[in-house]
């Protein structure tokens, strides 16, 4: 009878640790893919900087930026990564930075980009003619 109680106690401990392990796994953080631009209004002859940041190390190549080619020319592209370990906790970030030139005027949308099961948010950019931008600057100065 005593050994049956010990076995029952051990099974309860095992079940407790299994339940604890599953609850810790459910709190695991999903990666986040964030898109940003340095400005949302530019002239037709200007460029803008677009950044796409993943808050973990990528397990593959890079995101597919071909959807941008509909409304923008990609003039340059760079990638940077960082890994920080502070008090035993690690955090990793990977960023892709693109210099974009608009192909036409009007409201253009940088589409959502999908990468490693995450999707960034789309961003709308207003492209004005150089004359409109110059007039707006003169009006603001007066």
């Amino acid at each position: 009878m005593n050994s049956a109680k010990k076995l029952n106690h051990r099974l309860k401990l095992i079940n407790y640790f299994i339940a604890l392990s599953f609850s810790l796994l459910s709190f695991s953080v999903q990666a986040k893919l964030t898109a940003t631009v340095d400005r949302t209004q530019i002239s037709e002859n200007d460029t803008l900087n677009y950044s796409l940041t993943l808050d973990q190390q990528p397990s593959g190549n890079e995101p597919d930026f071909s959807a941008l080619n509909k409304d923008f020319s990609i003039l340059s592209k760079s990638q940077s990564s960082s890994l920080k370990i502070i008090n035993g906790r690690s955090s990793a970030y990977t960023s892709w930075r693109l210099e974009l030139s608009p192909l036409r005027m009007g409201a253009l949308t940088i589409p959502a980009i999908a990468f490693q099961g995450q999707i960034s948010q789309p961003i709308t950019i207003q492209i004005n003619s150089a004359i409109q931008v110059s007039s707006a600057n003169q009006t603001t100065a007066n």
Side-chain angles (χ1 to χ4, degrees), residues 38-84:
D38 61 344
R39 52 210 161 129
T40 57
Q41 197 169 54
I42 64 171
S43 71
E44 62 186 324
N45 300 325
D46 209 352
T47 62
L48 66 105
N49 293 309
Y50 171 76
S51 294
L52 188 68
T53 303
L54 180 68
D55 64 354
Q56 70 179 25
Q57 293 294 327
S59 61
N61 293 329
E62 68 177 23
D64 179 9
F65 293 110
S66 62
L68 296 171
N69 293 329
K70 176 184 172 196
D71 291 322
F72 298 93
S73 290
I74 299 173
L75 302 178
S76 67
K77 182 174 24 173
S78 64
Q79 178 181 339
S80 63
S81 298
S82 69
L83 174 64
K84 296 179 186 177

Side-chain angles (χ1 to χ4, degrees), residues 4-110:
K5 282 185 177 182
K6 284 182 181 180
L7 179 61
N8 190 23
H9 180 68
R10 286 183 184 161
L11 288 175
K12 284 182 182 180
L13 280 175
I14 291 171
N15 286 336
Y16 170 77
F17 284 116
I18 290 172
L20 180 63
S21 298
F22 280 118
S23 67
L24 290 175
L25 286 175
S26 68
F27 286 114
S28 66
V29 178
Q30 280 285 334
K32 187 174 180 181
L33 190 63
T34 307
T36 58
V37 291
D38 61 344
R39 52 210 161 129
T40 57
Q41 197 169 54
I42 64 171
S43 71
E44 62 186 324
N45 300 325
D46 209 352
T47 62
L48 66 105
N49 293 309
Y50 171 76
S51 294
L52 188 68
T53 303
L54 180 68
D55 64 354
Q56 70 179 25
Q57 293 294 327
S59 61
N61 293 329
E62 68 177 23
D64 179 9
F65 293 110
S66 62
L68 296 171
N69 293 329
K70 176 184 172 196
D71 291 322
F72 298 93
S73 290
I74 299 173
L75 302 178
S76 67
K77 182 174 24 173
S78 64
Q79 178 181 339
S80 63
S81 298
S82 69
L83 174 64
K84 296 179 186 177
I85 301 174
I86 301 173
N87 294 331
R89 291 187 164 215
S90 65
S91 61
Y93 294 91
T94 301
S95 292
W96 294 268
R97 289 180 182 82
L98 288 73
E99 183 180 11
L100 303 177
S101 176
L103 296 176
R104 59 186 174 84
M105 292 189 305
L108 304 181
T109 299
I110 296 173

Side-chain angles (χ1 to χ4, degrees), residues 116-128:
Q116 292 189 348
Q118 301 301 312
I119 300 174
S120 70
Q121 67 280 14
I123 301 173
T124 300
I125 309 296
Q126 181 62 43
I127 314 302
N128 300 314

